[in-house]
Amino acid sequence: MSKLESIKCSFCEESAITIINYAKLRLCKKHFIEFIQKRVLNTIERYDLIKNNWKVLVAISGGKDSAVMLHILSNLSKQLNFKIIALHINLGIGKYSENAKYNAEKLCNDLSIPLILLDIKNIIGMNLLEIKRKNKRPICSICGLLKRYFINTIAIETKANVVAIGHHMDDLLSYVIKNFILQNINEISKLGPKTETKELFIGRIRPLYEISEKETSLYAFIQNLPRVEESCPYVDESSMEFEIKRFLNNMELRNPNFKIAFARALAKNINFYKKEEEEIKKCIKCGMPTSRDICAFCRLIEKTIGKSINVKNELKEIIEKLKVV
Ligand SMILES: [Zn+2]
Ligand SMILES: [Zn+2]
């Protein structure tokens, strides 16, 4: 028997399953779930993330973080009056991707949320590993570029007002510190609770901005959400982000509320990190926003398969199908 089982919930007679130090609360399962949902609602209100009648495109990876985000948004969608469409991008990284796709479909099915399933092999004719073989840049950078491009294109085509991304507080704060160390100052401006829509760049929101990794894991576990347990095979646990996460957790242990205070201070100062605006042009191949004549996606595709592709045409069928549902 663990020590916790003998401790009562702060709100009822049940045994507490967790202690939330920064809020000085001991919570049973039911009250923990309520506590996290309320915190996400507060985050949405505090940072004005979702407006009445909006359509929110929720990007889900099949992992626990975006599963938790979708579950909570689905719970709040009636109360705040917004619509949800989910998007899962199948990268084709063997068993890992198959598993991710299975869980993304199951989750959306359970929650009755329409899902756009995009298979990059169907669109580009190659999976992520095959694309990597033709290019020198790191696989995570290719993956990020493809995901950003598809998410943005689908957001435009589905007329979504905003895209919800499942990064939790520990991810975001560790990226912030990493980018500060590397002096990629402008990147920090993209790690706050939201980035606004600007012409053809559809805005991003991060509803888990004030939810920790530990809380996210516990929520997914208690709700038994469909999710892949293992992380992407290309995640490097010896990387700087993991070292920074350990540092943040040590600081939080000594000083509960350290991370939330950091996140809120960052949100307040986020505009300070923005670079002077570059002129935005339209890519001459695909019409999507870019700072050059041809966007990074079209350059990558041309280099990889020797010709350009019209993603909008390829996506039309997928999106049409969704309207029938
Ligand atoms: Zn309770
Ligand atoms: Zn382009």
Side-chain angles (χ1 to χ4, degrees), residues 9 11-12 14 28 31:
C9 171
F11 297 118
C12 74
E14 292 291 318
C28 68
H31 284 112

Side-chain angles (χ1 to χ4, degrees), residues 44-292:
I44 292 171
E45 289 175 342
R46 171 186 292 264
Y47 302 112
D48 193 19
L49 301 188
I50 302 174
K51 295 194 192 336
N52 184 40
N53 229 352
W54 266 15
K55 191 191 277 178
V56 180
L57 182 70
V58 182
I60 55 169
S61 65
K64 66 174 167 55
D65 304 338
S66 52
V68 168
M69 167 178 67
L70 185 65
H71 187 266
I72 297 175
L73 289 181
S74 154
N75 262 297
L76 293 173
S77 63
K78 266 217 179 93
Q79 185 185 345
L80 297 177
N81 190 35
F82 62 89
K83 279 198 210 87
I84 297 176
I85 300 176
L87 165 66
H88 176 73
I89 299 175
N90 182 6
L91 302 158
I93 315 174
K95 261 254 162 318
Y96 169 76
S97 290
E98 275 170 45
N99 210 347
K101 182 181 152 197
Y102 170 82
N103 282 289
E105 281 185 300
K106 177 153 189 350
L107 179 68
C108 290
N109 218 353
D110 291 355
L111 298 173
S112 303
I113 286 172
L115 169 68
I116 298 178
L117 249 179
L118 190 146
D119 200 319
I120 65 164
K121 183 135 190 167
N122 288 345
I123 293 181
I124 304 175
M126 288 184 190
N127 65 31
L128 184 61
L129 298 179
E130 290 163 332
I131 297 170
K132 165 60 197 155
R133 265 179 231 131
K134 301 250 175 185
N135 288 279
K136 281 206 187 79
R137 57 197 283 182
I139 192 158
C140 298
S141 133
I142 298 175
C143 179
L145 167 64
L146 294 177
K147 283 200 275 194
R148 273 195 305 277
Y149 186 85
F150 288 130
I151 288 173
N152 203 41
T153 311
I154 288 178
I156 291 170
E157 295 299 305
T158 54
K159 300 191 173 61
N161 298 90
V162 82
V163 178
I165 302 288
H167 287 147
H168 51 62
M169 181 167 63
D170 295 78
D171 276 345
L172 290 162
L173 296 182
S174 59
Y175 296 153
V176 167
I177 296 179
K178 180 186 172 182
N179 278 308
F180 183 78
I181 291 170
L182 300 174
Q183 286 296 291
N184 297 327
I185 298 299
N186 187 48
E187 288 304 307
I188 298 176
S189 70
K190 300 171 192 165
L191 296 168
K194 66 176 172 184
T195 37
E196 305 276 356
T197 296
K198 222 174 74 197
E199 293 176 51
L200 285 173
F201 287 112
I202 306 302
R204 302 283 196 267
I205 55 170
R206 298 172 189 89
L208 304 183
Y209 188 71
E210 295 190 3
I211 306 293
S212 72
E213 182 159 29
K214 194 179 143 214
E215 289 166 333
T216 310
S217 301
L218 187 56
Y219 188 102
F221 176 74
I222 293 174
Q223 296 283 22
N224 196 21
L225 298 179
R227 63 200 186 277
V228 266
E229 285 292 352
E230 65 271 32
S231 42
C232 169
Y234 296 100
V235 166
D236 175 10
E237 300 224 346
S238 65
S239 67
M240 199 197 301
E241 284 102 305
F242 283 84
E243 198 54 56
I244 296 169
K245 276 185 186 176
R246 280 189 281 274
F247 158 76
L248 287 169
N249 283 331
N250 282 333
M251 292 302 288
E252 180 76 22
L253 266 182
R254 276 190 247 164
N255 181 5
N257 208 41
F258 173 82
K259 288 193 274 190
I260 291 174
F262 179 14
R264 289 187 182 167
L266 174 75
K268 218 182 238 173
N269 287 335
I270 202 79
N271 289 331
F272 175 77
Y273 297 97
K274 269 189 198 144
K275 213 169 46 184
E276 253 179 66
E277 311 248 330
E278 268 182 22
E279 191 204 344
I280 297 177
K281 301 180 199 170
K282 276 190 176 177
C283 169
I284 55 171
K285 299 270 180 195
C286 71
M288 293 297 276
T290 172
S291 56
R292 318 235 310 237

